[in-house]
């Protein structure tokens, strides 16, 4: 999940630039995170997925989707082409499609690959937890935490297949999803257990 990593790198590392004054903090941090994943987990295959610059098709269904998010800072925007060139230089498969979010592409890759491979999603995005099953896990390298199906239940109180319903009921402030008024995590868990 490229976006989650270059955003984290951009905000974690400050005041880093090249001799011409161009910011390089996101490039530097992203590269270090990528190398750490390759070194620590030694994947047989690796793909990086980017969000599209075009508006998500989800905006057609819900106009307020992610409306609370500020636009990408200019100092980060100008680093994205260099990050994409870096990924290309490492000969890592990169995926991006206009109007389609990285999450959806990651979901498609999981669905297509889980029959033949053990799939590991590298992301800190709780939305990705809906994809977890016995052949699909998730690693949040920032928290040094690996999630399998039981870990999703421990964290959210519901099985991975119910994560979408859980977030729909409770809301998700990061995506500007309001949820159902008066329903918090405990009530959502009870409703989903019962119904």
């Amino acid at each position: 999940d490229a976006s989650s990593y270059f955003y984290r790198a951009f905000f974690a590392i400050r005041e880093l630039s090249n001799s011409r004054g161009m910011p390089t903090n996101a490039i530097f941090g992203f590269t270090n995170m990528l190398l750490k994943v390759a070194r620590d987990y030694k994947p047989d295959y690796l793909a990086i997925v980017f969000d599209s610059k075009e508006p998500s098709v989800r905006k057609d269904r819900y106009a307020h989707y992610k409306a609370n998010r500020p636009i990408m800072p200019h100092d980060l925007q100008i680093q994205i082409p260099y990050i994409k060139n870096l990924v290309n230089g490492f000969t890592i498969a990169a995926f991006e499609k206009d109007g389609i979010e990285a999450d959806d592409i990651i979901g498609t890759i999981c669905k297509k690959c889980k029959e033949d491979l053990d799939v590991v999603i590298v992301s800190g995005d709780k939305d990705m937890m809906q994809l977890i099953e016995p052949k699909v896990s998730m690693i949040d390298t920032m928290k040094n935490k690996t999630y399998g199906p039981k870990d999703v239940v421990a964290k959210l109180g519901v099985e991975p297949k119910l994560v979408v319903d859980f977030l729909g009921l409770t809301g998700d402030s990061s995506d500007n999803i309001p949820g159902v008024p008066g329903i918090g995590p405990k009530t959502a868990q009870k409703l989903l257990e019962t119904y």
Side-chain angles (χ1 to χ4, degrees):
D1 185 359
S3 296
S4 74
Y5 280 84
F6 60 63
Y7 262 101
R8 285 179 180 191
F10 178 76
F11 288 108
I13 303 166
R14 296 299 192 152
E15 310 295 323
L16 192 62
S17 61
N18 66 15
S19 60
R20 294 177 310 246
M22 184 193 132
T24 57
N25 54 331
I27 300 165
F28 177 76
F30 182 88
T31 304
N32 282 337
M33 287 187 252
L34 176 59
L35 292 173
K36 181 173 176 23
V37 166
R39 183 178 57 246
D40 292 355
Y41 299 100
K42 298 175 180 48
D44 293 323
Y45 305 97
L46 182 62
I48 296 180
V49 183
F50 291 91
D51 281 311
S52 166
K53 288 188 284 188
E54 302 299 319
S56 166
V57 293
R58 291 189 178 127
K59 284 260 191 199
D60 296 338
R61 294 183 179 205
Y62 180 58
H64 303 293
Y65 180 68
K66 292 187 179 180
N68 58 337
R69 292 192 183 182
I71 60 169
M72 183 184 292
H74 175 73
D75 283 356
L76 175 55
Q77 286 178 26
I78 61 176
Q79 295 181 68
I80 303 304
Y82 294 93
I83 289 171
K84 289 180 178 179
N85 285 341
L86 176 94
V87 169
N88 187 49
F90 278 122
T91 63
I92 297 171
F95 296 92
E96 179 178 359
K97 185 167 176 56
D98 287 347
I100 305 298
E101 291 193 17
D103 295 8
D104 298 318
I105 297 171
I106 292 169
T108 300
I109 291 170
C110 287
K111 187 173 183 177
K112 291 190 174 285
C113 294
K114 69 183 180 183
E115 298 302 320
D116 301 316
L117 302 168
D118 289 323
V119 179
V120 180
I121 302 164
V122 181
S123 178
D125 187 346
K126 68 181 173 298
D127 295 350
M128 296 282 94
M129 290 182 173
Q130 67 186 283
L131 300 171
I132 295 173
E133 55 182 82
K135 297 265 298 177
V136 180
S137 61
M138 183 174 103
I139 297 171
D140 183 345
T141 58
M142 297 297 129
K143 295 179 181 169
N144 199 26
K145 174 77 177 148
T146 301
Y147 295 93
K150 291 179 182 176
D151 302 298
V152 175
V153 174
K155 182 172 177 66
L156 300 178
V158 296
E159 295 177 39
K161 68 181 180 182
L162 296 175
V163 168
V164 173
D165 299 308
F166 177 79
L167 294 175
L169 289 169
T170 61
D172 186 357
S173 60
S174 67
D175 289 339
N176 202 35
I177 306 295
V180 177
I183 295 185
K186 296 288 185 206
T187 304
Q189 290 165 3
K190 288 178 186 172
L191 287 169
L192 292 171
E193 280 174 24
T194 306
Y195 302 105

